[in-house]
Amino acid sequence: MPTYRTASEAETISLGERLARTLPARGVVLLTGSLGAGKTMLAKGIVSGLGAAPADEVSSPTFTLIHEYGGGRVYHVDLYRLEEARELATLGLEELFDRDALVLIEWGERFPQLMPAERTEIRIRTVGDDEREVEVTP
Ligand SMILES: Nc1ncnc2c1ncn2[C@@H]1O[C@H](COP(=O)(O)OP(=O)(O)O)[C@@H](O)[C@H]1O
Ligand SMILES: [Mg+2]
């Protein structure tokens, strides 16, 4: 399982840019890790690496829950504020999964039964003040 270490926010963004090339153009990527681990930083890098938007235009979809980039090529979802699985229905996540797009999801592990079985997982762990360990599970 490929494991990487980063020593700063900027390094995590560039790791995301490199990882972007290894991800399928279509599919679901769960970004897991505790609050402040760096899931959103990694998403910035992935969106930028895919050429869908510059990293500094990618912000956390904490309140809107879904952000779209590159004219629908990439979606960034954050389910942290979602309280119940049935709210997901109104979000239209199922429909996103059917699109020809890469869907990045933070806090998707809160609703495991609603996540597609076929997915990539990227786990981020804080190992020091500014150090993170990133593990990719295809
Ligand atoms: N190596 C690192 N990688 C990513 N973020 C880091 C790193 N070191 C420090 N940070 C800080 O940790 C925080 C990560 O925030 P964010 O990506 O929003 O986390 P999450 O989405 O997992 O809650 C940011 O404040 C960032 O500056
Ligand atoms: Mg986040």
Side-chain angles (χ1 to χ4, degrees):
M1 231 169 298
T3 304
Y4 307 87
R5 281 236 177 184
T6 67
S8 66
E9 172 187 311
E11 273 187 34
T12 297
I13 294 173
S14 33
L15 174 63
E17 289 173 337
R18 280 185 281 128
L19 287 178
R21 291 181 224 130
T22 71
L23 297 171
R26 180 196 166 126
V28 171
V29 176
L30 294 192
L31 300 170
T32 71
S34 53
L35 204 63
K39 301 179 293 297
T40 298
M41 295 304 151
L42 203 62
K44 278 174 181 275
I46 294 172
V47 171
S48 153
L50 293 170
D56 60 6
E57 283 177 21
V58 177
S59 60
S60 177
T62 312
F63 296 100
T64 45
L65 308 187
I66 300 178
H67 285 169
E68 183 188 271
Y69 299 99
R73 279 198 293 130
V74 187
Y75 291 90
H76 181 197
V77 181
D78 186 337
L79 300 178
Y80 185 68
R81 301 182 74 85
L82 206 72
E83 283 170 13
E84 294 174 45
R86 63 186 167 87
E87 293 173 76
L88 262 186
T90 59
L91 204 62
L93 206 58
E94 286 281 305
E95 195 253 330
L96 273 196
F97 295 161
D98 291 336
R99 292 196 195 178
D100 198 11
L102 188 70
V103 184
L104 308 169
I105 306 182
E106 298 185 35
W107 299 105
E109 71 276 22
R110 291 186 61 218
F111 305 98
Q113 72 285 8
L114 298 176
M115 296 298 122
E118 195 176 312
R119 66 202 185 205
T120 304
E121 269 188 49
I122 304 181
R123 301 188 188 124
I124 312 166
R125 212 159 58 85
T126 301
V127 291
D129 279 352
D130 292 329
E131 273 149 51
R132 303 292 190 269
E133 193 178 83
V134 179
E135 185 183 63
V136 183
T137 310

